[in-house]
Amino acid sequence: MAQWTSAVGAAQLSRLLKSQQDRPAGPGSRRPPAYRALADGIRLLVLEGRVPVAARLPAERELALSLSVSRTTVAAAYEALRAEGFLESRRGAGSWTAVPAGNPVPARGLEPLPPEALGSIIDLGCAALPAPEPWLTRAVRGALEELPPYAHTHGDYPAGLPALRSMIAERYTARGIPTMPEQIMVTTGAMGAIDAICHLFGGRGERIAVESPSYANILQLMREAGARLVPVAMAEGLAGWDMDRWRQVLREAAPRIAYVVADFHNPTGALADEDQRRQLVEAARSAGTVLVADETMSELWLDDGVEMPRPVCGFDPAGSTVITVGSASKAFWAGMRIGWVRAAPDVIRSLVAARAYADLGTPVLEQLAVNWLFSTGGWEQAVELRRDQARQNRDDLVAAVRRELPEWEFAVPEGGLTLWVRAGGLSGSRLAEAGERVGLRVPSGPRFGVDGAFEGYVRLPFTVGGAVAEEAAARLAAAARIVESGGTIGAEGPRTFVA
C-alpha cells in the first residue's frame, strides 16, 4: 500500500524550485553540485511546509524534463534525500516526502512557538504582542461580574451576544457607517470569520483573488478549503494596490471572492487611500465579486499625523458587495479570540445558519470581556498602549536591521505590525533555515506568496524591542553569513537570551 497522501506535479515542483534557484548567489557563496542544489531545494520546501510531508514526488524522468536537467541529477538528488531521511521510496509506489525520525512535522502556517522554547529562540514568526495590562485583567474581571445571567442559559449564541453585536454596530455607526446589530456576527477570531465566509461563498474549485503578497495563514486556509488562488501583484514599497491589475483580474478571472487587507497590509504595511478603496469596491461590484476587507490592523496607526481613510465598507454601506472582518487579536491581544463580520443581514443569516455545522458559537466570557472594553473606554486606552509598544519596537528593529544588514531594503510603514524586507539577494527560505540554527525564527517570503513567489524576502514583525531587537538583528546577520558561505555554520550558534 502506498504511503503517500497527496501528490506534487512536476510543473508545480519545478516552479517552487526555480523560485529559489533564480535568486542571485550571495557574495563569496560556493555553488554546490546540481544534484545537491536540487536536494537542498526540495528539503527546504519540506521543512517550510510548502511541500507537505507524505506528498508523492514526480518520477525522475518527469522532473528532469520539467527542470531541464539530466535524469542522473534527479536520481542523485532523490538518493541524497533518502539518505537524509527526507524521502522514502517503494518499487511500484514511487517516492514521497518524509521527515527524519525525531524531527517535528513542519507547519504550513505561522504558528507561535511554545512558551518553553522562548528562552533560546527569538520568535519573529508570529506578529503578536503580549497583552496590554492591566486592561486584560480588568476586562476579565468585568466579564465575570456580567456572567451570572448568561450562566442560566444554554450559552450558545451562534450570532454572538446581543450586547456585543449592538456595541460593534454602534462603533461602525460612529465611524460614519450606519450599521444595525443584524449586520454583525461575532466569530472566533478573524480566521474563524474568513473560514466561514470562504465556506459560504468559495466552495472547492472557486477562484479567490488575493493580494500578492498576502497573509500566510489566510492563504493556507483558502488552499485547505480547495480554493484556486489568483494572485494580484502589489506595487513596490508602500504604494500598495495597482488598480489596473485589480480591474483586469476581476474582469477576466471573475473570482467569487477577493480578499484584501487595506489597513496596514500584512506583510508590506501599505495603507490603501480612499481612491484605491473606492475603485476596488466599484471593480468588485462590476465583476460580481464578494470583496472581503480584513481590517484587523485598522487601529494600529503608529505615527502622528496619519489620516485614516474611510473603511472599505464605507463605499458599500448596505453590504451588498463588501464583507468586513474585524478582530480583537491584533489591536488588543492574540489570546482574545474574538472577531466579527459586518455584512448585509441576509449574508449574516446565512453565515449563522451554516455555523450550526461548525463551532456553534464563540466563548461567552471572552465576548463579555471585549464588550466591557468597548463600553467602558478601556479599549481605547489599551490600544493606545499597544500603539506605543509597537511604535517603539518598530523603531528599535528598524535601527538594528539597518546597522547589521545595511544592504537589505525595506520601506518603514506608518502602522501595522510588520516589516517586509528584501534580503539583499539571499534566499528567504535559506535564511529561515539558517535562522533556526542560530536561535532565530523568521518566516520566509514564499509563505506570503503563491507558487514560490517572494523568495528574496523575509517578514519581520514589531514584536521585540530594545536589546532583544538588537540580538534578533545580530542573529539575522549571522544567518545571512551562513547562507552566503554556502551553509557552513562555523562558530555561529544559538545563544540563550532572556528578555
Side-chain angles (χ1 to χ4, degrees):
M1 180 178 177
Q3 300 299 306
W4 49 273
T5 57
S6 62
V8 179
Q12 179 187 8
L13 185 57
S14 179
R15 285 196 303 272
L16 292 170
L17 289 166
K18 285 180 178 178
S19 70
Q20 299 174 343
Q21 295 166 356
D22 288 345
R23 298 301 305 170
S29 62
R30 300 189 298 272
R31 291 190 178 277
Y35 86 89
R36 185 69 260 175
L38 176 55
D40 286 348
I42 294 174
R43 178 173 55 83
L44 280 171
L45 294 173
V46 173
L47 287 172
E48 285 209 319
R50 290 191 284 142
V51 169
V53 175
R56 187 178 188 273
L57 296 187
E60 294 171 2
R61 187 185 304 276
E62 186 182 2
L63 184 57
L65 285 172
S66 185
L67 291 173
S68 299
V69 299
S70 70
R71 183 178 177 182
T72 302
T73 297
V74 178
Y78 278 15
E79 182 57 38
L81 289 168
R82 277 190 287 271
E84 296 163 4
F86 286 95
L87 195 69
E88 295 181 10
S89 304
R90 180 180 299 170
R91 185 178 297 277
S95 299
W96 57 91
T97 56
V99 292
N103 282 36
V105 175
R108 304 197 73 185
L110 298 177
E111 293 80 3
L113 284 173
E116 61 268 18
L118 296 179
S120 60
I121 297 179
I122 298 176
D123 184 11
L124 296 185
C126 185
L129 291 163
E133 289 287 26
W135 295 105
L136 174 62
T137 298
R138 292 178 182 176
V140 172
R141 288 174 177 164
L144 287 171
E145 293 177 1
E146 298 292 331
L147 183 61
Y150 296 94
H152 293 293
T153 73
H154 50 61
D156 286 334
Y157 294 87
L161 294 184
L164 181 56
R165 295 176 73 195
S166 295
M167 183 60 66
I168 294 171
E170 288 176 15
R171 291 174 65 83
Y172 277 107
T173 299
R175 294 167 66 189
I177 318 296
T179 303
M180 305 178 294
E182 291 79 10
Q183 290 178 264
I184 302 296
M185 181 177 83
V186 181
T187 62
T188 306
M191 291 288 288
I194 294 169
D195 183 56
I197 293 166
C198 286
H199 278 88
L200 182 63
F201 290 100
R204 185 164 295 276
E206 290 280 5
R207 294 185 180 91
I208 299 181
V210 295
E211 298 146 329
S212 184
S214 187
Y215 178 37
N217 285 342
I218 292 296
L219 294 180
Q220 190 57 36
L221 181 156
M222 292 173 175
R223 291 187 188 102
E224 297 289 345
R228 298 165 60 190
L229 300 184
V230 183
V232 186
M234 297 281 285
E236 284 294 320
L238 300 177
W241 293 258
D242 184 325
M243 293 315 306
D244 288 338
R245 289 175 179 168
W246 270 103
R247 277 189 288 268
Q248 180 181 3
V249 167
L250 294 177
R251 181 177 62 251
E252 296 179 357
R256 187 72 182 91
I257 299 173
Y259 169 76
V260 298
V261 185
D263 300 291
F264 307 118
H265 174 260
N266 186 353
T268 68
L271 176 66
D273 60 33
E274 289 214 359
D275 189 52
Q276 289 172 326
R277 295 169 190 237
R278 180 184 297 105
Q279 291 187 55
L280 191 56
V281 173
E282 290 172 354
R285 184 181 293 118
S286 297
T289 297
V290 175
L291 182 60
V292 180
D294 183 338
E295 56 176 33
T296 54
M297 299 280 192
S298 64
E299 297 190 62
L300 291 177
W301 62 86
L302 304 182
D303 293 337
D304 294 335
V306 176
E307 293 188 13
M308 292 300 297
R310 273 189 292 170
V312 175
C313 62
F315 301 95
D316 179 50
S320 59
T321 297
V322 178
I323 298 179
T324 303
V325 172
S327 172
S329 297
K330 296 298 185 185
F332 186 74
W333 184 46
M336 188 68 77
R337 305 304 305 162
I338 299 295
W340 52 86
V341 176
R342 181 198 180 276
D346 63 317
V347 172
I348 294 297
R349 285 193 295 270
S350 297
L351 289 169
V352 171
R355 198 170 192 180
Y357 309 101
D359 62 358
L360 291 178
T362 302
V364 169
L365 188 63
E366 293 184 23
Q367 292 187 71
L368 288 171
V370 171
N371 192 59
W372 183 92
L373 288 166
F374 285 159
S375 61
T376 62
W379 177 267
E380 284 71 23
Q381 296 182 65
V383 171
E384 188 58 41
L385 287 176
R386 171 66 75 241
R387 292 192 196 106
D388 291 343
Q389 185 179 14
R391 183 186 307 113
Q392 187 62 58
N393 286 355
R394 180 198 62 181
D395 296 346
D396 291 346
L397 187 64
V398 165
V401 172
R402 282 178 170 164
R403 181 175 59 252
E404 295 285 346
L405 295 155
E407 70 280 11
W408 287 20
E409 303 171 49
F410 54 85
V412 181
E414 297 178 305
L417 290 173
T418 57
L419 200 65
W420 186 236
V421 181
R422 192 193 301 269
L426 300 179
S427 160
S429 298
R430 285 173 166 75
L431 283 167
E433 184 196 30
E436 296 279 354
R437 298 160 68 184
V438 297
L440 177 71
R441 185 170 183 257
V442 57
S444 67
R447 287 187 176 272
F448 304 88
V450 177
D451 274 349
F454 308 109
E455 183 60 51
Y457 289 80
V458 293
R459 188 195 74 170
L460 305 179
F462 313 144
T463 53
V464 296
V468 186
E470 293 178 4
E471 178 67 13
R475 294 187 188 189
L476 192 56
R481 290 193 292 272
I482 292 172
V483 175
E484 288 172 346
S485 68
T488 304
I489 193 166
E492 308 286 4
R495 296 174 285 175
T496 299
F497 187 85
V498 179

